[in-house]
Amino acid sequence: MTIGLTHYLVLATAVFLTGLSGVLVRRNSLIVLMSIELMLCAGNIVFAAFSRWLGDASGHVFVLMSFAVAAAEAAIGLAILVEIHRLRRSVNLDDLKTLTE
Amino acid sequence: MFESVCFYLCGGLMLLGGIMTVASRSAVASAVWLIFAFLNAAGVYALLSAPFLAILQVLVYAGAIMVLFLFVIMMLHGPVMNEDLRSRSRWFWPALALPLAAIAGSAVTLLGRARGGAFPAPAPHGFGRAEQVAALLLDRYLLAFELISIVLLVAIIGALSLGLREGRRT
């Protein structure tokens, strides 16, 4: 079978759900952030695959936007994480439940 | 045939990198596996005839973003970062079942179809090259381009203000 759209969609789904399970299971907030990056990457692959399918490069522009959002998210998220670590001496998500108590 | 081999190689290694990112005990190992997954994602972009995106994936994701992650991991304490994976959250089994069920379901769907949605071959000349993406970015999507630059500017200001606040206190 030739490699087509479905193959790329299956790959992106698998990678996305791997990242989602990382967000749900891991308690280390750095690894949770990395899992979110993995999910964004899976979304980008879907954009590129449909761009190729439709023969229209607009999807590539949206992947560029997603790159910028991922970079902003990583910068802000890591800055907040460093600040939390200074205050609490921990990056474990189970220790950060002040708002629910 | 060559394309199939490349796809299964890059895609399989990307999935492996993703799974190891989620399953690794230490944050440094996770980050290195994530870099591995992103490099393979660049290979997937190249297969999708998106050479510009493949280069940007290596430069921006595997280069800039992951170096930032590794920098923060090195800056925080090493022992704090390790996590006992045996103390499972109640989401452990659902989260494990989720990707497996999705992969099985997608594979069944894939096998059920005669042709896996074959791409219109070949891609138009110059498709996905920097020239074409730049022309779209500065013409049809000019407003979005300007807005995303504002998003980046706000992110820079936010990260700076968080960092400066911490410097004032100590």
PDB file of all heavy atoms in Angstrom, chain B residues 8 11 24 29 33 38 57 61 65 67 73 78 94 100 109 122 130 148 161 165:
ATOM      1  N   TYR B   8       7.991   4.603   7.471  1.00  0.00           N
ATOM      2  CA  TYR B   8       7.910   3.731   8.640  1.00  0.00           C
ATOM      3  C   TYR B   8       9.101   3.939   9.553  1.00  0.00           C
ATOM      4  O   TYR B   8       8.984   3.849  10.779  1.00  0.00           O
ATOM      5  CB  TYR B   8       7.769   2.271   8.208  1.00  0.00           C
ATOM      6  CG  TYR B   8       6.388   1.960   7.710  1.00  0.00           C
ATOM      7  CD1 TYR B   8       6.166   1.587   6.392  1.00  0.00           C
ATOM      8  CD2 TYR B   8       5.299   2.080   8.562  1.00  0.00           C
ATOM      9  CE1 TYR B   8       4.884   1.334   5.934  1.00  0.00           C
ATOM     10  CE2 TYR B   8       4.023   1.837   8.108  1.00  0.00           C
ATOM     11  CZ  TYR B   8       3.816   1.454   6.792  1.00  0.00           C
ATOM     12  OH  TYR B   8       2.552   1.222   6.345  1.00  0.00           O
ATOM     13  N   GLY B  11       8.517   7.682  11.108  1.00  0.00           N
ATOM     14  CA  GLY B  11       7.319   7.673  11.938  1.00  0.00           C
ATOM     15  C   GLY B  11       7.480   6.776  13.143  1.00  0.00           C
ATOM     16  O   GLY B  11       7.129   7.155  14.262  1.00  0.00           O
ATOM     17  N   SER B  24      10.224   7.995  30.406  1.00  0.00           N
ATOM     18  CA  SER B  24      11.528   8.092  31.061  1.00  0.00           C
ATOM     19  C   SER B  24      11.386   8.597  32.486  1.00  0.00           C
ATOM     20  O   SER B  24      10.521   9.418  32.778  1.00  0.00           O
ATOM     21  CB  SER B  24      12.445   9.038  30.298  1.00  0.00           C
ATOM     22  OG  SER B  24      12.828   8.447  29.098  1.00  0.00           O
ATOM     23  N   ALA B  29      16.616  12.600  30.441  1.00  0.00           N
ATOM     24  CA  ALA B  29      16.380  11.545  29.445  1.00  0.00           C
ATOM     25  C   ALA B  29      15.151  11.866  28.618  1.00  0.00           C
ATOM     26  O   ALA B  29      15.153  11.702  27.391  1.00  0.00           O
ATOM     27  CB  ALA B  29      16.221  10.210  30.149  1.00  0.00           C
ATOM     28  N   TRP B  33      15.103  12.337  24.547  1.00  0.00           N
ATOM     29  CA  TRP B  33      14.205  11.543  23.695  1.00  0.00           C
ATOM     30  C   TRP B  33      13.279  12.446  22.892  1.00  0.00           C
ATOM     31  O   TRP B  33      12.931  12.142  21.745  1.00  0.00           O
ATOM     32  CB  TRP B  33      13.381  10.583  24.542  1.00  0.00           C
ATOM     33  CG  TRP B  33      14.076   9.305  24.846  1.00  0.00           C
ATOM     34  CD1 TRP B  33      14.515   8.897  26.067  1.00  0.00           C
ATOM     35  CD2 TRP B  33      14.439   8.265  23.926  1.00  0.00           C
ATOM     36  NE1 TRP B  33      15.116   7.677  25.951  1.00  0.00           N
ATOM     37  CE2 TRP B  33      15.085   7.259  24.662  1.00  0.00           C
ATOM     38  CE3 TRP B  33      14.273   8.089  22.560  1.00  0.00           C
ATOM     39  CZ2 TRP B  33      15.571   6.096  24.079  1.00  0.00           C
ATOM     40  CZ3 TRP B  33      14.755   6.931  21.969  1.00  0.00           C
ATOM     41  CH2 TRP B  33      15.388   5.953  22.722  1.00  0.00           C
ATOM     42  N   PHE B  38      11.653  14.952  17.695  1.00  0.00           N
ATOM     43  CA  PHE B  38      11.502  16.131  16.837  1.00  0.00           C
ATOM     44  C   PHE B  38      12.364  16.008  15.586  1.00  0.00           C
ATOM     45  O   PHE B  38      11.963  16.450  14.500  1.00  0.00           O
ATOM     46  CB  PHE B  38      11.856  17.395  17.607  1.00  0.00           C
ATOM     47  CG  PHE B  38      10.778  17.834  18.548  1.00  0.00           C
ATOM     48  CD1 PHE B  38      11.053  18.680  19.595  1.00  0.00           C
ATOM     49  CD2 PHE B  38       9.476  17.398  18.375  1.00  0.00           C
ATOM     50  CE1 PHE B  38      10.058  19.090  20.463  1.00  0.00           C
ATOM     51  CE2 PHE B  38       8.480  17.793  19.237  1.00  0.00           C
ATOM     52  CZ  PHE B  38       8.772  18.642  20.286  1.00  0.00           C
ATOM     53  N   GLN B  57      11.802  22.908  11.808  1.00  0.00           N
ATOM     54  CA  GLN B  57      11.590  21.971  12.922  1.00  0.00           C
ATOM     55  C   GLN B  57      12.898  21.703  13.645  1.00  0.00           C
ATOM     56  O   GLN B  57      12.964  21.701  14.870  1.00  0.00           O
ATOM     57  CB  GLN B  57      11.000  20.664  12.364  1.00  0.00           C
ATOM     58  CG  GLN B  57      10.854  19.546  13.371  1.00  0.00           C
ATOM     59  CD  GLN B  57       9.610  19.677  14.204  1.00  0.00           C
ATOM     60  OE1 GLN B  57       8.718  20.435  13.873  1.00  0.00           O
ATOM     61  NE2 GLN B  57       9.561  18.947  15.297  1.00  0.00           N
ATOM     62  N   TYR B  61      12.463  23.849  17.003  1.00  0.00           N
ATOM     63  CA  TYR B  61      12.079  22.889  18.036  1.00  0.00           C
ATOM     64  C   TYR B  61      13.307  22.220  18.630  1.00  0.00           C
ATOM     65  O   TYR B  61      13.618  22.391  19.807  1.00  0.00           O
ATOM     66  CB  TYR B  61      11.156  21.823  17.454  1.00  0.00           C
ATOM     67  CG  TYR B  61       9.705  22.059  17.751  1.00  0.00           C
ATOM     68  CD1 TYR B  61       8.799  22.332  16.751  1.00  0.00           C
ATOM     69  CD2 TYR B  61       9.240  21.956  19.048  1.00  0.00           C
ATOM     70  CE1 TYR B  61       7.469  22.534  17.017  1.00  0.00           C
ATOM     71  CE2 TYR B  61       7.917  22.153  19.328  1.00  0.00           C
ATOM     72  CZ  TYR B  61       7.034  22.435  18.307  1.00  0.00           C
ATOM     73  OH  TYR B  61       5.722  22.634  18.577  1.00  0.00           O
ATOM     74  N   ILE B  65      13.927  25.513  21.345  1.00  0.00           N
ATOM     75  CA  ILE B  65      13.003  25.208  22.438  1.00  0.00           C
ATOM     76  C   ILE B  65      13.594  24.140  23.354  1.00  0.00           C
ATOM     77  O   ILE B  65      13.570  24.266  24.576  1.00  0.00           O
ATOM     78  CB  ILE B  65      11.637  24.770  21.871  1.00  0.00           C
ATOM     79  CG1 ILE B  65      10.993  25.925  21.117  1.00  0.00           C
ATOM     80  CG2 ILE B  65      10.727  24.303  22.984  1.00  0.00           C
ATOM     81  CD1 ILE B  65       9.650  25.617  20.545  1.00  0.00           C
ATOM     82  N   VAL B  67      16.747  23.321  23.782  1.00  0.00           N
ATOM     83  CA  VAL B  67      17.897  23.828  24.529  1.00  0.00           C
ATOM     84  C   VAL B  67      17.415  24.620  25.744  1.00  0.00           C
ATOM     85  O   VAL B  67      17.984  24.524  26.830  1.00  0.00           O
ATOM     86  CB  VAL B  67      18.798  24.676  23.615  1.00  0.00           C
ATOM     87  CG1 VAL B  67      19.800  25.463  24.421  1.00  0.00           C
ATOM     88  CG2 VAL B  67      19.528  23.765  22.650  1.00  0.00           C
ATOM     89  N   ILE B  73      16.271  22.458  33.067  1.00  0.00           N
ATOM     90  CA  ILE B  73      16.463  21.212  33.823  1.00  0.00           C
ATOM     91  C   ILE B  73      17.805  21.236  34.537  1.00  0.00           C
ATOM     92  O   ILE B  73      17.916  20.867  35.710  1.00  0.00           O
ATOM     93  CB  ILE B  73      16.376  20.002  32.877  1.00  0.00           C
ATOM     94  CG1 ILE B  73      14.967  19.837  32.345  1.00  0.00           C
ATOM     95  CG2 ILE B  73      16.775  18.732  33.610  1.00  0.00           C
ATOM     96  CD1 ILE B  73      14.875  18.846  31.229  1.00  0.00           C
ATOM     97  N   GLY B  78      18.960  18.473  40.437  1.00  0.00           N
ATOM     98  CA  GLY B  78      18.857  17.158  39.827  1.00  0.00           C
ATOM     99  C   GLY B  78      17.948  16.209  40.584  1.00  0.00           C
ATOM    100  O   GLY B  78      17.024  15.646  40.002  1.00  0.00           O
ATOM    101  N   PRO B  94      -6.103   4.292  32.321  1.00  0.00           N
ATOM    102  CA  PRO B  94      -6.749   4.934  31.172  1.00  0.00           C
ATOM    103  C   PRO B  94      -5.737   5.558  30.209  1.00  0.00           C
ATOM    104  O   PRO B  94      -5.857   5.436  28.987  1.00  0.00           O
ATOM    105  CB  PRO B  94      -7.617   6.019  31.817  1.00  0.00           C
ATOM    106  CG  PRO B  94      -7.863   5.552  33.182  1.00  0.00           C
ATOM    107  CD  PRO B  94      -6.686   4.749  33.592  1.00  0.00           C
ATOM    108  N   LEU B 100      -2.896   2.909  22.994  1.00  0.00           N
ATOM    109  CA  LEU B 100      -2.973   1.554  22.430  1.00  0.00           C
ATOM    110  C   LEU B 100      -4.284   1.352  21.679  1.00  0.00           C
ATOM    111  O   LEU B 100      -4.299   0.851  20.546  1.00  0.00           O
ATOM    112  CB  LEU B 100      -2.837   0.521  23.553  1.00  0.00           C
ATOM    113  CG  LEU B 100      -1.460   0.461  24.206  1.00  0.00           C
ATOM    114  CD1 LEU B 100      -1.434  -0.572  25.310  1.00  0.00           C
ATOM    115  CD2 LEU B 100      -0.399   0.124  23.160  1.00  0.00           C
ATOM    116  N   THR B 109      -8.921   0.622  10.788  1.00  0.00           N
ATOM    117  CA  THR B 109      -9.494   1.499   9.769  1.00  0.00           C
ATOM    118  C   THR B 109      -8.626   1.522   8.520  1.00  0.00           C
ATOM    119  O   THR B 109      -9.116   1.471   7.393  1.00  0.00           O
ATOM    120  CB  THR B 109      -9.612   2.929  10.318  1.00  0.00           C
ATOM    121  OG1 THR B 109     -10.094   2.848  11.644  1.00  0.00           O
ATOM    122  CG2 THR B 109     -10.556   3.752   9.488  1.00  0.00           C
ATOM    123  N   PRO B 122       2.697  14.002  -8.599  1.00  0.00           N
ATOM    124  CA  PRO B 122       3.620  14.462  -7.564  1.00  0.00           C
ATOM    125  C   PRO B 122       3.226  15.850  -7.082  1.00  0.00           C
ATOM    126  O   PRO B 122       2.303  16.447  -7.629  1.00  0.00           O
ATOM    127  CB  PRO B 122       4.946  14.514  -8.327  1.00  0.00           C
ATOM    128  CG  PRO B 122       4.551  14.885  -9.708  1.00  0.00           C
ATOM    129  CD  PRO B 122       3.185  14.296  -9.962  1.00  0.00           C
ATOM    130  N   ALA B 130      10.820  27.593   0.692  1.00  0.00           N
ATOM    131  CA  ALA B 130      10.777  28.838   1.457  1.00  0.00           C
ATOM    132  C   ALA B 130      10.115  29.962   0.655  1.00  0.00           C
ATOM    133  O   ALA B 130       9.371  30.768   1.212  1.00  0.00           O
ATOM    134  CB  ALA B 130      12.195  29.235   1.871  1.00  0.00           C
ATOM    135  N   ILE B 148       1.079  37.323  15.133  1.00  0.00           N
ATOM    136  CA  ILE B 148       1.925  36.347  15.819  1.00  0.00           C
ATOM    137  C   ILE B 148       3.205  37.020  16.319  1.00  0.00           C
ATOM    138  O   ILE B 148       3.757  36.625  17.345  1.00  0.00           O
ATOM    139  CB  ILE B 148       2.223  35.148  14.898  1.00  0.00           C
ATOM    140  CG1 ILE B 148       2.512  33.896  15.723  1.00  0.00           C
ATOM    141  CG2 ILE B 148       3.409  35.379  13.995  1.00  0.00           C
ATOM    142  CD1 ILE B 148       1.323  33.307  16.350  1.00  0.00           C
ATOM    143  N   SER B 161       9.589  39.894  32.655  1.00  0.00           N
ATOM    144  CA  SER B 161       9.053  40.440  33.908  1.00  0.00           C
ATOM    145  C   SER B 161       9.081  39.384  34.992  1.00  0.00           C
ATOM    146  O   SER B 161       9.361  39.697  36.153  1.00  0.00           O
ATOM    147  CB  SER B 161       7.643  40.972  33.686  1.00  0.00           C
ATOM    148  OG  SER B 161       6.755  39.899  33.574  1.00  0.00           O
ATOM    149  N   ARG B 165      11.327  40.007  38.376  1.00  0.00           N
ATOM    150  CA  ARG B 165      10.677  40.005  39.678  1.00  0.00           C
ATOM    151  C   ARG B 165      11.461  39.135  40.660  1.00  0.00           C
ATOM    152  O   ARG B 165      11.653  39.488  41.813  1.00  0.00           O
ATOM    153  CB  ARG B 165       9.262  39.458  39.535  1.00  0.00           C
ATOM    154  CG  ARG B 165       8.319  39.880  40.617  1.00  0.00           C
ATOM    155  CD  ARG B 165       6.905  39.928  40.075  1.00  0.00           C
ATOM    156  NE  ARG B 165       6.565  38.681  39.424  1.00  0.00           N
ATOM    157  CZ  ARG B 165       5.917  37.685  40.043  1.00  0.00           C
ATOM    158  NH1 ARG B 165       5.546  37.810  41.280  1.00  0.00           N
ATOM    159  NH2 ARG B 165       5.618  36.584  39.400  1.00  0.00           N
TER     160      ARG B 165
END
